[in-house]
Amino acid sequence: MTPTLTRHVRLMGLTTLLVLLPLVLQGFGHHWVRVADTSLLYVMLALGLNVVVGYAGLLDLGYVAFYALGAYLFALLTSPHLTDHFAGIAALFPQGLRAPWWVTIPLAAAAAAILGMLLGAPTLRLRGDYLAVVTLGFGEIVRLLIVNMGHPINITHGAQGLGMIEPVRVLGVDFGKPFRVAGYEIATVTLYYYLFLFLVMITVLICHRLQDSRIGRAWMAIRDDETAARSMGINTRNLKLLAFGVGASFGGVTGAMFASFQGFVSPEAFSLNESVLIVAMVVFGGMGHIPGVVLGAVLLAALPEMLRYLVGPLQIITDGQLDAGVMRPLLVALAMIITMLWRSSGLWPAPDRYRQRR
């Protein structure tokens, strides 16, 4: 077979596998489908951060702020919180806001992109550790704002979070209820899997097109040598802002999907640990390489669940002396350390980087 035909056959095989995966996992319980759903959400987050870190070379430790913005924006527009606490909004929308997905998702992407560019504007002259510290502080500021915006005006309900978030409805299909096709029932977690898979495919396509575009090559030039890129006439200021905005928009969309999927959001879901985990996914898989980033996100999202079967026997051997809450993160950290010592460019680095290492 020709290389093109071989590539198409592999793509069709992978697509078939991904489509059938949740139907197989349902046989082992809905828990494993939820793990697959969560993995797809982290894939979208990692791909968005890869635009900032992998393409433009800007270390962003506050990426979770855009994730939180998308989640809370979706929650406010689809839950009864605003109409319950603000008489003016209740008068305008007596039946509740109940904004449709074609309003909430683009709005979450646009709001996150604007916030991303606002973050990028004062950090344009910062590099390396200084940029990391500033973005880390930005992420914590957003989380603390969410916590403190429950009083005196109750906008976010503070640390208690927002509940009663309505699920997505697409083409008359309510993702909060099982869907029946020819007598076969598709669970809600499976419906969300297909929705997330569709969004991941769109995200991969956009990232791939960006990577091969003039903008993507300019980002990589800035990443490799910003001074040389500026001397060649590249507008580093605008391109950095664009990288922050594009990456943040993916985080906003993912946050909206997370809120719809969980039906509840709270500040604890957007801590610094989440930002560090997303950065680790990008580095662990291979910065700047889309397949590597996807692999890193899936492994680090699903590995803690897989380690349940390892922690259990260890607890039995030690007569319950080992704390599962400590052992699982420890085993994940050890796996990452060993892997990074073995392949310092990531599990699946970009081909040019791999050749340089060899």
Side-chain angles (χ1 to χ4, degrees), residues 213-228:
S213 67
R214 292 179 61 185
I215 293 174
R217 290 194 290 271
W219 280 336
M220 294 175 193
I222 294 171
R223 176 195 66 196
D224 294 336
D225 194 327
E226 184 176 347
T227 304

Side-chain angles (χ1 to χ4, degrees), residues 38-47 50 276-304 332 335-336 339-340 345-349:
T38 305
S39 299
L40 290 176
L41 286 174
Y42 275 115
V43 167
M44 284 191 281
L45 287 173
L47 288 172
N50 185 55
V276 174
L277 177 61
I278 300 166
V279 173
M281 290 173 176
V282 176
V283 177
F284 183 62
M287 286 193 299
H289 192 216
I290 295 174
V293 172
V294 172
L295 177 63
V298 171
L299 288 179
L300 289 187
L303 188 59
V332 172
M336 288 184 60
T339 304
M340 296 309 293
S345 294
L347 285 178
W348 195 349

